Amino acid sequence: MRRFLLIIALTVLVTNQMQAQSSHHPIPISRQGFHDNIDKEQAAAAKFDGKADDLVKVSEDQTTNLQVTNALLKEVDDMQQEIEDNDSLDHRLKVKYLSAIYVMVKDYNQKRARSKIDPEEAPAMVSAFRNMMHADIKGQSILPYINNLSYDASERIIESFHDNPGYKEARGRVFSKYAFNNLETVMPKLVDYLNYPGTDSIIAAVARKYPNQILTYATSYTPMASAIKRNQDPIVQQIVRIGQSSQSTRILPFIDELLAGTTTVEKLEPVVDNDYQYFKQMVKSTIALQKMKSDGQNPYGLKAMMENMQAKSLLYIRSVNDLHEEPAPVRFAIVKNFTPEELYYLIINGQEELYTSSYTNHNNAGLYDQMMLRMKPPRGDSLLMIVNFDRFKKFIAMAAGFNTLDNFLKSMAPENSNYLMQKYVQNLEKTEDLEDAVDVANSFGSIRDEKLLEFLRVEVKKNLNYVRKHNDKRGTVIYQLLSSLFETESKTENDSSKATDMAAKLQLPPINYVTFNTLESDSGRVYQQVFFYGDKDGQESYASFMTNFPSSDWRVSKNKYWTTITSLKGKPTTIYANLPTDEPADKEAISKLSEYLDENDIHPTIFIHRGHSYHINTTLDNLQSSAKIVVLGSCGGYHNLATVLEKSPEAHIISSKQVGTRFVNEPIIHSLEDQVRSGKNVDWVIMWAQLTKRFAGDARNKDLFSDYVPPHKNLGAIFIKAYKQIMKDEKK
C-alpha cells in the first residue's frame, strides 16, 4: 500500500514539475557556469558518505537525512530557479544571489569535512538564506534571520549581503556568537568590532576569565585601550586601575582581594617589589582563592596567580638545582625561611625542573625533607588541609615518582591516608584533560608498597563500577585503562613479557621495541634531528655531543645553521643537529634546519631534545608526525607527552623525571645509535638492562639515570596512546 501511494505521489510530483517547468525562464549561457558550480557542490554534499546518490547522509536517523537532503538539493534547486524567474532582478543581481548560494553550499561542505559545523544545521542555513535573500531584494534588513544560526553556519552567508542595510549590525551579532565561545582568542579579532553594541559585553566576559589579556591591551597605545577604559564594567575598571601601577602584572593576580576591598594597589606595590614577600603573599592568596573555589565561587585572579607563582617558583628551583655540587647550607639557603606550605607550592610548581637531590637527599635538606621537618604538627594531612588540597593529586604523583609517598602517608593516621588515596583516584573523568589520570598511571609504576598497590587496584575498580553504572563513557574508558595497566603490572616480573601482555591487552602495537624498518626512509636511510639551544648548557652539551662521532665511523660537515653527521659504517644514518648559536639566533638555526628538511622531503624518525625544559616547546613545535622515537632529555610531564603523541601518535618516548643531563643523555643516545647502525630492532628492555649495568658503577650519575623512564615503562604515555586509540574507535 505504501509503495502504491509513493508511486502516486511521485507521479503527481513529476506532473507538477513538468507544468511548473513550462513557465520557467531558460538559463542564459552567461549564467550557466554559476548554476554548474552550485550543482557540483550539491553533488559533493551527496557524495560525502562515499555514495554518489541523491541522499545527503549526515546521521543514522533517516528523517534527519531526508530533511538535510531536501534543503541542500531540492530547496537550493528551487532558489536557483526562483532567481532566474524573477524579472525584477537584472543580470548583476541574479549573479549576486547565485554566487551567494554557491558560497553557502561550498562553505557547508568544507566545514563539514573538517568537523567545524553540525551537518544537521543545513535546513536552518538554507531557510535563513532564503529569508535573507527575500529581505535583501526588498531592501529590508537581513538581521532578523541570523539569530537561530550558529557562528559557523552564518559567518560566510552574511558576507554575501555586505551592501544590505542590516549587514553591519548582523556582522556584529554573528561575531558575538563567535566571541562568547572563544573568549581566550577573541581579543585580537575584536579590534574590528570596537564600535559594535556587543563589544563592551565581550570585553567584560574576557575580563572574568582572562584578566591578563585585558591588562595587556589596557596598558597599550591602541584603539582597544580606549574601548577598555570607557567600559563601565567594575572588573574591567579594576583592571584599568591596576594597569596604572608600574607593578601591574604582579598585582593583577590579587584582583579578587582588590574587588573585595581587603587591600589596595598602594599596599600591594611594596610587597610585590620584594621577591620573597611577593612569593609569600602569592601563597597566602592562592590558599584563599582555592577556598573560594571549593565554596563554589569563581575567583577571577586564580589563573594569573598560578602562572605568576609557577614562574617565580622555577626561579627558586633553578637556583637550588644550579648549586647541586655545593654543601646543603649553601644550596638551600634561598629557601631557609620558607614555611611548609610555601615549600609545598615550590614543589608542585617545579615538577618539570626539580632535581631529585633538590627534592630529597641523604642530608634531609631537600625541599620535601624540609617541608616535612618544619610541619607543626608533622602531619601531611594537616598540610593538605591548610592548602585546601590544592593540586594534591600532582603532589601525590610527584611523591610516588620521587619515592617519598610511603613516608608522606605514614605521617598521618591510617584512615586518613586511605581516604587521601581514595580521593587520589576519584573523579578522574570530571577533568578537562587527562593530566590527573596520567599522573595516577605514572605513579602506579613508581609505587613499591604492595599493600598500597592492592588498595589502589581495588579503588580503581570501584570507580570503574561507578562510572559504568552511570553510563559515563569517558570515565569508563579512563578507569578500564587504569585497571588494565595495573593488572598487567602485577602479573609478571619479566619486563619483556609484561610489556607484551600490556600491549596485547590494550590493543596497541609493541611498546617494548621499535622495528628497524619503521625507522628507515624510502631510500633505506635513517634520519635523525637533534635540537640544541644557545645558552651555556646547550653549548656545552653540543661540544660534548660532537665528541661521539670519530672520523673513522662518521663524516661531519657544517654550514651556518646546522651540522650534518653521516655514518660511514653500518646501516645508512644521517643526523642533523642545529648549531647552538647565541640566543635568540638558536631559534633561527632550528627554523632554517626544519625548513631545509621540509623542502627536501626529509622526515626524521628519531628526534632528540637537548636542553632545559623551558626550551621544550620549540622542539615540540618542530616535531614531525614521522617520529618513531622521541628522546626528550628533560621532564616528560603530561603536557609534553600529550603534545608528542598528538603530533606523532606512534612515537616511543624516553623522558626524565628531572632536567636532563648530558652525562646520562649521551650514553643513551650512543646506545641508540649503535642499535640503529646495526640494523636491529631497538629493544628497550635489552638496551635499558645494558645501560643499568653501565651506570651501576657510576656513583655520580647512577641516581640521575634512575630518573629516566624508558618507553616500555612510561605508563603515562602508554595510557594516552591507548585512550586515544579507544576514543578513535568509539568515534568510528
Side-chain angles (χ1 to χ4, degrees):
M1 181 66 176
R2 291 183 61 186
R3 184 182 177 191
F4 178 70
L5 291 175
L6 179 61
I7 293 171
I8 293 176
L10 289 173
T11 304
V12 172
L13 178 62
V14 171
T15 304
N16 289 340
Q17 286 181 337
M18 290 177 64
Q19 292 173 347
Q21 286 172 357
S22 63
S23 61
H24 287 337
H25 291 16
I27 300 173
I29 193 169
S30 58
R31 289 195 295 275
Q32 186 61 53
F34 296 98
H35 288 277
D36 290 344
N37 288 336
I38 296 170
D39 293 344
K40 288 177 184 176
E41 291 301 326
Q42 288 176 296
K47 197 178 179 181
F48 192 86
D49 62 349
K51 297 178 182 178
D53 52 19
D54 290 329
L55 179 69
V56 183
K57 185 177 180 181
V58 298
S59 77
E60 297 305 317
D61 181 63
Q62 194 65 2
T63 300
T64 300
N65 292 333
L66 291 173
Q67 289 171 343
V68 172
T69 301
N70 182 67
L72 291 176
L73 302 188
K74 183 180 183 304
E75 292 184 30
V76 165
D77 283 349
D78 290 347
M79 281 194 290
Q80 290 175 255
Q81 195 60 58
E82 180 186 340
I83 291 168
E84 290 295 344
D85 291 345
N86 192 330
D87 293 331
S88 67
L89 302 178
D90 60 19
H91 173 74
R92 179 185 62 82
L93 289 174
K94 290 183 178 184
V95 167
K96 168 187 172 179
Y97 296 125
L98 290 171
S99 298
I101 293 175
Y102 167 71
V103 167
M104 174 186 65
V105 183
K106 183 178 182 180
D107 185 51
Y108 171 85
N109 285 339
Q110 290 179 336
K111 286 176 177 171
R112 183 185 174 191
R114 293 168 176 77
S115 300
K116 291 185 175 182
I117 196 171
D118 180 356
E120 296 180 15
E121 198 171 0
M125 289 176 66
V126 174
S127 177
F129 179 90
R130 176 187 279 112
N131 290 331
M132 282 189 245
M133 181 177 74
H134 290 164
D136 192 62
I137 290 172
K138 297 174 184 176
Q140 297 172 352
S141 172
I142 62 171
L143 180 62
Y145 307 108
I146 64 164
N147 293 328
N148 295 327
L149 292 182
S150 68
Y151 167 75
D152 290 309
S154 57
E155 61 158 338
R156 290 300 304 275
I157 288 178
I158 64 166
E159 294 306 317
S160 297
F161 301 98
H162 58 84
D163 53 357
N164 182 273
Y167 168 73
K168 183 177 179 181
E169 193 174 352
R171 184 169 178 259
R173 192 169 297 180
V174 168
F175 178 73
S176 293
K177 294 173 186 280
Y178 167 83
F180 287 106
N181 289 321
N182 298 274
L183 293 175
E184 187 173 8
T185 58
V186 74
M187 288 301 288
K189 298 179 174 66
L190 192 59
V191 68
D192 295 329
Y193 297 86
L194 294 182
N195 296 318
Y196 283 75
T199 297
D200 283 350
S201 297
I202 295 169
I203 290 173
V206 174
R208 282 157 174 76
K209 290 200 70 175
Y210 308 101
N212 56 318
Q213 293 193 24
I214 301 299
L215 178 66
T216 299
Y217 282 100
T219 54
S220 66
Y221 296 95
T222 64
M224 183 73 78
S226 299
I228 291 171
K229 289 173 182 176
R230 69 172 181 258
N231 191 301
Q232 294 305 303
D233 180 83
I235 297 175
V236 175
Q237 282 301 304
Q238 182 63 71
I239 296 172
V240 170
R241 286 193 290 274
I242 293 171
Q244 295 168 356
S245 170
S246 60
Q247 299 279 11
S248 59
T249 56
R250 289 188 166 203
I251 291 174
L252 179 66
F254 304 99
I255 186 172
D256 296 276
E257 295 166 63
L258 291 167
L259 288 166
T262 57
T263 190
T264 65
V265 170
E266 291 71 27
K267 288 180 181 178
L268 286 170
E269 283 180 324
V271 174
V272 302
D273 196 41
N274 177 287
D275 280 347
Y276 175 58
Q277 291 301 320
Y278 177 42
F279 185 80
K280 195 178 188 71
Q281 186 60 49
M282 281 198 292
V283 169
K284 180 180 176 182
S285 295
T286 298
I287 292 172
L289 293 177
Q290 289 295 340
K291 179 66 168 60
M292 289 175 60
K293 188 177 178 181
S294 64
D295 289 342
Q297 300 180 59
N298 184 28
Y300 305 121
L302 184 57
K303 186 174 185 292
M305 186 76 76
M306 292 173 69
E307 290 173 350
N308 283 19
M309 188 188 287
Q310 182 175 38
K312 183 57 62 180
S313 296
L314 289 176
L315 292 179
Y316 285 114
I317 295 293
R318 289 167 190 164
S319 175
V320 172
N321 285 348
D322 289 345
L323 297 172
H324 63 93
E325 294 185 353
E326 298 293 333
V330 175
R331 182 178 186 182
F332 296 98
I334 197 170
V335 296
K336 66 179 180 180
N337 295 321
F338 277 40
T339 64
E341 54 266 35
E342 288 162 3
L343 290 170
Y344 174 87
Y345 275 103
L346 271 187
I347 290 169
I348 61 174
N349 282 299
Q351 180 196 23
E352 295 197 358
E353 298 197 21
L354 194 59
Y355 283 6
T356 298
S357 59
S358 296
Y359 176 86
T360 183
N361 58 48
H362 63 280
N363 295 317
N364 277 337
L367 300 181
Y368 171 82
D369 307 317
Q370 289 302 305
M371 180 190 77
M372 298 298 288
L373 288 170
R374 296 175 196 181
M375 283 185 201
K376 306 297 179 192
R379 291 179 48 175
D381 50 346
S382 298
L383 174 65
L384 292 178
M385 290 178 69
I386 290 173
V387 300
N388 289 303
F389 290 87
D390 183 15
R391 284 167 282 174
F392 84 95
K393 293 186 178 184
K394 178 66 61 186
F395 178 80
I396 295 296
M398 293 180 68
F402 287 118
N403 299 317
T404 60
L405 180 57
D406 184 57
N407 174 271
F408 185 73
L409 294 177
K410 285 181 178 178
S411 73
M412 61 189 82
E415 62 270 21
N416 288 352
S417 65
N418 286 344
Y419 177 77
L420 181 65
M421 296 310 292
Q422 282 178 333
K423 291 297 181 186
Y424 179 55
V425 298
Q426 281 180 358
N427 299 322
L428 300 178
E429 77 280 6
K430 294 181 180 179
T431 56
E432 291 184 11
D433 55 30
L434 293 173
E435 184 168 7
D436 284 351
V438 169
D439 281 343
V440 170
N442 278 328
S443 62
F444 200 87
S446 303
I447 296 171
R448 296 292 173 262
D449 183 335
E450 280 300 326
K451 188 175 179 180
L452 177 58
L453 288 173
E454 185 55 34
F455 176 82
L456 289 175
R457 287 189 191 101
V458 171
E459 289 302 314
V460 166
K461 287 182 178 177
K462 285 181 182 178
N463 283 276
L464 175 58
N465 291 334
Y466 176 83
V467 293
R468 276 177 173 166
K469 183 178 178 181
H470 288 79
N471 296 316
D472 187 326
K473 290 185 178 180
R474 182 174 186 268
T476 300
V477 172
I478 288 173
Y479 284 108
Q480 182 64 64
L481 280 176
L482 288 175
S483 182
S484 296
L485 283 172
F486 295 175
E487 287 175 5
T488 307
E489 277 278 301
S490 67
K491 282 182 179 178
T492 177
E493 295 300 320
N494 180 279
D495 279 350
S496 289
S497 58
K498 184 188 296 183
T500 300
D501 290 347
M502 192 177 293
K505 190 155 193 173
L506 300 178
Q507 297 183 359
L508 290 173
I511 58 177
N512 54 320
Y513 64 89
V514 178
T515 57
F516 178 76
N517 65 340
T518 63
L519 298 175
E520 291 180 296
S521 66
D522 291 341
S523 64
R525 181 170 293 275
V526 177
Y527 289 105
Q528 306 178 37
Q529 184 174 359
V530 188
F531 297 81
F532 289 97
Y533 293 87
D535 51 18
K536 181 182 177 183
D537 175 76
Q539 293 174 355
E540 290 177 352
S541 292
Y542 174 81
S544 178
F545 174 73
M546 292 306 299
T547 63
N548 291 291
F549 304 100
S551 58
S552 58
D553 293 342
W554 302 86
R555 181 175 68 250
V556 177
S557 61
K558 290 183 181 179
N559 63 22
K560 183 180 178 181
Y561 298 108
W562 67 83
T563 299
T564 304
I565 306 164
T566 307
S567 62
L568 298 176
K569 297 178 181 177
K571 294 292 184 179
T573 303
T574 299
I575 305 169
Y576 295 98
N578 66 280
L579 299 179
T581 47
D582 291 340
E583 299 175 298
D586 53 351
K587 303 290 195 302
E588 182 186 9
I590 291 171
S591 177
K592 292 291 186 183
L593 173 54
S594 293
E595 288 174 10
Y596 169 82
L597 297 177
D598 287 342
E599 290 170 0
N600 289 274
D601 201 25
I602 295 172
H603 304 290
T605 51
I606 300 175
F607 288 81
I608 301 172
H609 170 78
R610 300 292 300 272
H612 288 297
S613 61
Y614 45 82
H615 293 307
I616 192 72
N617 285 339
T618 300
T619 296
L620 297 182
D621 286 344
N622 289 275
L623 196 64
Q624 293 190 35
S625 61
S626 55
K628 298 296 185 292
I629 298 173
V630 177
V631 183
L632 292 182
S634 63
C635 177
Y638 163 72
H639 294 288
N640 294 340
L641 297 178
T643 301
V644 170
L645 294 174
E646 186 66 35
K647 288 194 163 194
S648 313
E650 299 177 22
H652 286 225
I653 304 170
I654 297 175
S655 60
S656 172
K657 298 175 187 175
Q658 65 164 47
V659 177
T661 168
R662 66 177 182 272
F663 300 110
V664 176
N665 285 335
E666 288 185 16
I668 290 175
I669 294 169
H670 192 272
S671 178
L672 179 60
E673 300 300 350
D674 285 347
Q675 291 203 49
V676 170
R677 283 199 299 154
S678 71
K680 298 178 182 177
N681 295 341
V682 179
D683 189 308
W684 302 119
V685 176
I686 294 174
M687 177 176 163
W688 228 252
Q690 293 171 343
L691 287 166
T692 300
K693 187 175 181 180
R694 179 198 184 287
F695 280 105
D698 186 346
R700 179 184 180 186
N701 297 306
K702 179 181 178 181
D703 288 342
L704 294 175
F705 171 70
S706 68
D707 282 326
Y708 280 70
V709 184
H712 65 291
K713 292 188 176 181
N714 197 329
L715 297 187
I718 294 167
F719 177 91
I720 295 172
K721 280 186 178 182
Y723 178 86
K724 288 168 69 72
Q725 182 61 49
I726 291 172
M727 297 306 283
K728 182 180 177 182
D729 292 342
E730 288 275 333
K731 194 172 182 180
K732 288 181 181 178

